[in-house]
Amino acid sequence: MRRLLRPLARGCLHATAKRRELVKVEVPTLGESITEATIVSLERAVGDAVKADDVVAVLETDKVSVEVYTPKGGVVTEYAVSVDDNVGVGQALCVVDTEGVGKVVVPDVSAAGANVPPPQEVVVAAPVPTLKTPVVAPPAAPPAMIAAAVPEPFLSGSGAQYADAMYEHWLRDNTSVHASWDAYFRTGGFSEPGAAGPVVALRQEAPDTLRALHLIAAYQRRGHERADLDPLKLESKPMLEDLDPATYGFDVVRDADRALHLEEAPRSKVEGLLGSADVNRDGHTTLQELVDFLRTTYCGTVGVETEHITDLQKLNWLRSRIEVPQPPLPKEERLHVLERLAFSEKFEAVLATKFNTAKRFGLEGVESMIPGMKVMVDAATEQGVSDVIIGMPHRGRLNVLCNVLRKPVEVIFREFLGTQHQRDLAVVGDSEEDWSSSGDVKYHLGTSLDRAYPDGRRVYIEVLPNPSHLEAVDPLVVGKARARMDMKGDETGKTVLPVLVHGDAAFAGQGIVYETFQMYALEAYQCGGSLHVICNNQVGFTANPDQGRSTMYASDLGKAFDAPIFHVNADDPEAVCRVFQLAVSWRQEFHTDVVIDLVGYRKYGHNEIDEPTFTQPLMYDAVRKQQNVLDKYVHTLATTEPQIDVTESKAIIDHAVRTFNEAYEKRDDCPWDRDIWGQHWALIKAPHQVGTGAYGKTGVDKAMLQQVGKALSTVPENFSLHRRLKSRLDQFAECVKTGQNVPWGLAEQLAFGTLLAEGIPIRFTGQDVERGTFTHRHAVVHDQKTGETHTFLNSIDPTQSAKLYIKNSFLSEYGVLGFELGYSMETPNVLVLWEAQFGDFVNGAQIIIDQFISSGEAKWMRQSGLVMLLPHGYQGQGPEHSSCRIERFLTCSDEDPDVIPPNLNTLEGQTRQVQLNNWQVINPTTPANYFHALRRQQHRDFRKPLIVASTKALLRHKLAVSNLSEFETGSRFRRTYGEMYPDEVVAETDVRRLVLCSGKIYYELLEQRRADHANDSKKKKGRRRPRPRGANFALPLRPSRQLRQAVPERRGRLVPGGAQEHGRLVLRPRPHPHGHPRPQRKRTATGLRRPPDHGLHRRGLRRRPRRRAEKNHHHRPRHHHHRHSLRRRPLSE
């Protein structure tokens, strides 16, 4: 716009300068690598008055034309050059004297073709008082346009509207405008370039620029909708009015080959076509060239979605790489892509030939994902990545394992033939090989590779195992990536790249994808951004896209997190490789998520023996006619530059086929020392190795306990602590000082603090864990005046190396538990804990529990020491609120209730019992036992998940306290406690009932016994699974008649100390004195046993009188679910 209006300013009024100054006008910077120009015209003569930003000269180079402006207003006093002179950057052109009187310069239309029109000058004695004052010459003429003292902003519209109005008036009546306007319009120079010097583009330049900007923005916004993304071309692409140049005023016929007048904004910060629409960089872009370039960029085999990104820096970065001509790949790179594609395609072909009735969930239809992923790894290592962690579903997993992670294809053949399993058993021996012999199907397994490049680069690549639950592995991948970042000291994720491969239906349908996305910018969970690859088959099992999502694309979830989305046709391998490379560069630059939507098809049904034409007949009619991507690419190589002969391509393909056939013939001769446990598990015992446990290691020196206790009761100087917390700190200090009445919260903090003092880091997340849901923890306190935080356990010692990383999680169970599990699987030397806000919320993460935690070691040989804290107990909050459903965990325990493990009377036997189980479930009764349970997680030489179903009722229970001596050296976790108050019971021979219980049940019964003066001997049990057995249950050798009624249905013989051989003891409750029928176990339709009514009155125990209904508690159920632990179980429990 500035260029349009300056020629008209010759007839405008200028204000005089207030201060004299001689200004030298020099040749400006001409552009990149341009140092000289030729003077085409001098726009002012010596003595002419000029204003700021008036054009004084026009220069021309072989690429551009440049106008030279005056920096200030004044009078031209001298020219140092002439027309046709060659000048260099910085050379002086003229001198302007800023002192003088204002002049009105009216062009002489008779000299319209001359370089410098003779001016007519009108001297004005004083400055113009207002910019709106018209100049009347002659009096009947319309007002001339007045030049503003400040240059008009780009495309402000005011000057353009005035010029357009004058032109419209002239078209209707040429006498209605001033003679100067009439002369300009009559020359026709405003529409013919060069006819009237600088006034050439008066009518054309601004409209071209505006129209081009609208057209470019439309392609950036909606070009992907017209992109050639579907190899099957199942649907025709509708024409979009937004992408039609006529929508923005172009005449597509007349303007097609016309050079557009496109003005660049000199100081624009916008890159790409919006910064400069000159696609050829030659200054003569036509409409046809612009449209062709936009279609190639945005409507080819790659479609880009960036309109949801609001950061200008990110948009500039993308457009500077997208909106440029894409050179063809060099021949060497094309051969490399061909080789990788050949191995991908022929791998599936060989498996389909040799195992045509087996399920393998092949990659046919998106084989180009393999060269794309290999380019991704190569590009990542060049940009500093040393670890790549991949999570993916079953489709394409075997191909990725073989061609990306180089898992020996001989091993894959053995897995199909069923011979690999026997070789695995031979490795661990015959004694206890069944500990993890269940295994999993071959397309669920993972592996790892430590790859070295010829130039010295190294990268560790790992594919995590995954069950059939699609997307369940996503949070584990990012959790593992975060663990590696922390171990490397990498705060941004520059060295670790998490890659998540999705199916199109799963990406759109599974909520865990959203939960994983939500982590990317959270301090506790960020891993520098993940690279998402959607392996888009355009069908989900049998569901079409319109049944699987409400959005246009499967990838639309990424828009919520400002992730750029690249759609790419899977039948264009070179475009696929370019997109993978660009996605890696984005992630390394901005450390946010990025999405690749790889659009292909599925050659067979959901698996290779499924019939897809039942539900997708039209799609599979197109699939049958489809030429495979390898043949297409061979044809492309032979017909495009740089060309590769078909014979040369065929030699590469034959090499791939020959490699696979030779591997099949030698499948039994290939050894494989697979990485089972991971990089950091060398010192951790596998289940087929006998562990030593943590006996004698969990007790702590008293001086260390006191040091930790001091840190827990001290805040920094001038820290404004909440007034209600001061008494808590005083209580902690008193407990440590006296060594008595240590409550639950202090015991937990002492366990954490002593581990930190021993150099063991701790990671603890969950909803509200910093304070604690029940206001019981306060691991992090807040200054009431400044808002600053203080973490007590990170101030134990100034030289403390290990830290407590405790953070509140976002409101998720599934995603957060999966993240922490992934973290724990990578770092056996870190105590990792997750706490549910209430115990019943754990069922939101049931898939992680069932598919990974309970069975991960048996299926995939992956250990974890994850601790799950599940505040548990029914306390008037509804029929199930706070229940962690402990029965589910007990049911999933990998232990045969009919088999007694050997050597349970020894510590070694008890340790081995734990080591061969899949997890531990405990309901600790005392703070000291909870203390030891946490510490032994890290002091064992093996790892087991720990589920703590501790009741929230004990957090402040007056009786649920321990003495400090129970934490000191020599103490340990106790499987059972005897009668804690022997003076409250009768003689042993007079005991009529023995009750085994744990957790709050003990304290409730104790209080009831005291209230009723009952003579029940109690034992409290600290652990639920694995079941404690043997000598820890010391039964009387000569039980009374009443005890015999409760116990002695013997199958086997009772030995001194309670140990047992060849059978089990079964509890038989004594009949209720009031004749209530004995509850019977019933079999349900599924064959599972239904637990009986657990009311205490059915067990012959005196029922507590119901309290009168209180406010907000009138819906309390009549039965007492919180007494699950009293249900009938074998005595060996």
Side-chain angles (χ1 to χ4, degrees), residues 58 66 99 166 349 517 535 615 759 814 940 952 1032 1096:
V58 177
V66 179
E99 185 182 51
M166 291 297 98
F517 260 106
C535 187
T615 51
Y814 190 175
R940 286 170 170 162
K952 56 190 180 183
N1032 291 288
L1096 292 180

Side-chain angles (χ1 to χ4, degrees), residues 586-604:
W586 166 277
R587 189 269 179 184
Q588 291 299 97
E589 178 70 22
F590 298 109
H591 298 289
T592 66
D593 287 27
V594 56
V595 180
I596 298 173
D597 181 18
L598 184 61
V599 184
Y601 56 91
R602 192 182 66 191
K603 185 176 180 180
Y604 303 103

Side-chain angles (χ1 to χ4, degrees), residues 482-783:
R482 176 58 182 266
R484 288 202 192 163
M485 286 169 53
D486 290 348
M487 296 176 72
K488 292 171 175 283
D490 178 4
E491 296 182 357
T492 63
K494 191 76 175 178
T495 63
V496 183
L497 174 64
V499 179
L500 299 174
V501 182
H502 314 266
D504 51 313
F507 190 90
Q510 292 290 305
I512 189 59
V513 179
Y514 176 88
E515 293 186 33
T516 306
F517 260 106
Q518 193 63 261
M519 298 178 184
Y520 94 91
L522 301 180
E523 178 188 349
Y525 305 99
Q526 69 83 20
C527 59
S530 301
L531 197 155
H532 300 264
V533 181
I534 302 176
C535 187
N536 192 338
N537 303 133
Q538 306 187 71
V539 62
F541 208 137
T542 65
N544 291 320
D546 59 352
Q547 298 172 311
R549 62 177 185 266
S550 301
T551 56
M552 179 183 297
Y553 297 113
S555 57
D556 283 345
L557 175 61
K559 296 179 182 179
F561 301 94
D562 282 354
I565 300 173
F566 302 101
H567 308 279
V568 58
N569 189 320
D571 271 8
D572 186 349
E574 293 184 8
V576 171
C577 293
R578 282 197 301 267
V579 163
F580 271 86
Q581 193 167 21
L582 182 60
V584 169
S585 298
W586 166 277
R587 189 269 179 184
Q588 291 299 97
E589 178 70 22
F590 298 109
H591 298 289
T592 66
D593 287 27
V594 56
V595 180
I596 298 173
D597 181 18
L598 184 61
V599 184
Y601 56 91
R602 192 182 66 191
K603 185 176 180 180
Y604 303 103
H606 179 65
N607 56 64
E608 286 69 23
I609 59 178
D610 184 40
E611 177 51 63
T613 57
F614 289 138
T615 51
Q616 279 79 32
L618 299 181
M619 171 182 281
Y620 278 89
D621 181 60
V623 169
R624 282 192 296 269
K625 300 174 183 177
Q626 185 75 3
Q627 185 182 23
N628 71 57
V629 62
L630 183 59
D631 293 341
K632 284 185 177 182
Y633 191 50
V634 169
H635 176 73
T636 300
L637 294 178
T639 56
T640 59
E641 295 293 338
Q643 292 186 354
I644 297 176
D645 187 71
V646 174
T647 304
E648 188 174 0
S649 299
K650 189 175 184 302
I652 293 175
I653 297 171
D654 290 344
H655 168 68
V657 174
R658 188 165 53 253
T659 300
F660 289 127
N661 288 334
E662 291 175 356
Y664 184 79
E665 296 299 326
K666 300 177 180 179
R667 60 188 181 275
D668 295 327
D669 302 330
C670 176
W672 185 39
D673 183 17
R674 59 178 171 174
D675 172 28
I676 296 178
W677 303 110
Q679 291 175 301
H680 310 292
W681 291 78
L683 300 179
I684 303 299
K685 296 290 181 66
H688 63 271
Q689 301 169 315
V690 178
T692 58
Y695 293 107
K697 302 176 184 178
T698 60
V700 181
D701 181 71
K702 184 176 182 179
M704 180 181 291
L705 291 170
Q706 292 175 338
Q707 183 182 8
V708 175
K710 182 179 179 181
L712 291 171
S713 56
T714 306
V715 294
E717 188 177 356
N718 299 323
F719 189 91
S720 180
L721 187 68
H722 194 284
R723 59 183 180 81
R724 291 176 57 185
L725 294 179
K726 295 179 181 178
S727 59
R728 172 187 170 90
L729 268 58
D730 295 339
Q731 177 194 4
F732 282 6
E734 181 67 17
C735 292
V736 174
K737 179 180 178 180
T738 62
Q740 297 179 348
N741 299 323
V742 176
W744 206 271
L746 179 56
E748 179 186 79
Q749 298 297 302
L750 288 174
F752 292 162
T754 52
L755 287 172
L756 294 171
E758 294 168 350
I760 299 174
I762 299 174
R763 177 182 170 88
F764 190 1
T765 69
Q767 295 161 26
D768 312 302
V769 296
E770 294 181 4
R771 191 203 75 172
T773 302
F774 311 106
T775 324
H776 65 284
R777 182 168 293 119
H778 294 289
V780 179
V781 291
H782 296 256
D783 189 299

Side-chain angles (χ1 to χ4, degrees), residues 290-304:
L290 177 60
V291 171
D292 289 346
F293 184 83
L294 288 171
R295 287 175 178 171
T296 301
T297 302
Y298 288 106
C299 302
T301 53
V302 177
V304 183

Side-chain angles (χ1 to χ4, degrees), residues 1 50 317 376 629 670 881 995 1058 1127:
M1 186 60 62
V50 294
W317 188 94
M376 172 195 73
V629 62
C670 176
H881 192 46
V995 179
R1127 64 179 179 176

